Amino acid sequence: MFNKLPENINDFNSIILRETIAAIKLNRFSENYDYCRYSKDGIDRSTIFDVESSEKNFTWYFLNLQRIYNAYSVLTDSTSKRLYLHLLAFRLGGHLSVKIPVEFSESKKDNLWSNYQKFEYSTTSEIKIQGNNTIRHFDFEYEGTRYLADVTHLKHYLHRKQYFFNRNKVSIEPKNGDIILDCGACLGDTAVVFGNTVGKKGKVFAFDPVDTHLQVLRYNAEQNPDLNIEIIPTGVSNNCIDADPILSEKFNPGFNSISRHVPLLTIDKFVNDKDLKNVNFIKMDIEGSELFALEGALKTLETFQPKLAISIYHHFDDFFSIINFLKERSLYTFFGIGHYTIHKEETVLYCA
């Protein structure tokens, strides 16, 4: 799909509609389905075409065509542009029609996946907290680094390289000595990976407003005393709220602070209060609050121009609004995207 990249909005619309409609008519990728994510209730939806969702998504597309095209035009490299078109077609046509060209694989024939599996080792965790996924105790060495954490998985960050963008000699990723804001740290999987990456000269500030997450996050920080991780028990947004972390019986990676009374900080206030002399990298996966958090970080972005890795998949409008918001402020010259599942989730915008 999308061998030709559109150069104007009319061409864009024509190519998207033509390619997507052809894919709906001609393809039937029943294997292009994530059972772990979408069949937790035991129902096999791999052969179901979701007509209602497709209709809603086409309506969203037509209502926002200009803004979607503007975001597409901002993307710097052709790989990001082509990936953006595939992701849009996937939203319109669904898993039976469109395969997203991801840069990872988990097939038995993939050497990188096979190599990672040789090293990854986990046992039953002593932490007894309920959630949609099981917490495992990971303890293994990979590419010369020991990873020790009680989390649900690490493969997204070590095998799939989520939040580590390297393409066509462009690198947007944490580096040794970096100061990182890990917004949406949850159980601490990214904090541990980032902590190992930045080393003792760097530092990871791990933000989360959920008490259950913070308990596990602290546990993971304590079992990695050599990693420079500081836990910040708040969420980030465009306003500040003084409150206690929200109590929850289960851990919930999909927790959203919108319309809830949870502790919140703006990144600008946090950086000012901490008197930080630099911020090198900001990662955000905060379940739809990313645009609010960026609004509360404008001074930090203007002052330090940190590398960004921002999730843009939680709300449909995030697919264009976050890209356009950052472009309008003329803070960054490179905009690229990566995607880390075979379905619609885990699209990350990278800026430098």
Side-chain angles (χ1 to χ4, degrees), residues 23-171:
I24 293 173
K25 174 67 175 177
L26 299 174
N27 297 335
R28 190 169 179 81
F29 299 132
S30 58
E31 78 284 359
N32 186 38
Y33 179 78
D34 190 329
Y35 287 89
C36 293
R37 178 68 182 90
Y38 294 109
S39 288
K40 291 180 180 179
D41 56 4
I43 299 174
D44 183 354
R45 298 177 177 84
S46 61
T47 61
I48 298 174
F49 181 79
D50 191 340
V51 177
E52 183 177 352
S53 291
S54 184
E55 183 272 330
K56 289 180 180 178
N57 298 344
F58 268 101
T59 300
W60 167 84
Y61 167 77
F62 287 118
L63 288 173
N64 295 286
L65 175 57
Q66 183 66 61
R67 287 178 285 188
I68 294 169
Y69 176 72
N70 290 347
Y72 162 83
S73 301
V74 167
L75 299 174
T76 309
D77 64 307
S78 60
T79 301
S80 291
K81 287 179 179 290
R82 188 166 284 107
L83 177 57
Y84 192 88
L85 295 175
H86 276 90
L87 290 168
L88 186 54
F90 185 91
R91 293 181 177 212
L92 300 176
H95 75 277
L96 285 171
S97 306
V98 179
K99 285 187 177 182
I100 302 168
V102 293
E103 297 180 356
F104 65 89
S105 172
E106 292 184 6
S107 72
K108 294 180 180 179
K109 296 179 181 179
D110 186 280
N111 291 330
L112 290 175
W113 174 238
S114 298
N115 181 63
Y116 175 72
Q117 284 186 306
K118 291 178 183 177
F119 292 93
E120 185 188 77
Y121 177 76
S122 68
T123 56
T124 302
S125 174
E126 295 181 358
I127 297 175
K128 305 302 180 186
I129 296 177
Q130 293 182 334
N132 291 332
N133 298 301
T134 303
I135 296 177
R136 301 281 296 173
H137 176 72
F138 291 88
D139 188 355
F140 62 95
E141 187 172 304
Y142 181 64
E143 295 182 343
T145 299
R146 184 189 181 193
Y147 294 94
L148 177 62
D150 285 62
V151 293
T152 58
H153 65 263
L154 289 170
K155 68 179 182 180
H156 276 231
Y157 319 113
L158 300 181
H159 167 58
R160 300 185 184 184
K161 302 296 184 182
Q162 187 166 343
Y163 308 122
F164 292 77
F165 182 95
N166 280 285
R167 186 186 296 156
N168 299 328
K169 298 182 180 180
V170 176
S171 175

Side-chain angles (χ1 to χ4, degrees), residues 238-260:
N238 56 359
N239 66 317
C240 299
I241 295 179
D242 185 13
D244 294 326
I246 191 168
L247 297 175
S248 175
E249 294 181 357
K250 299 181 179 181
F251 73 89
N252 178 16
F255 175 84
N256 190 306
S257 62
I258 297 174
S259 301
R260 303 196 195 200

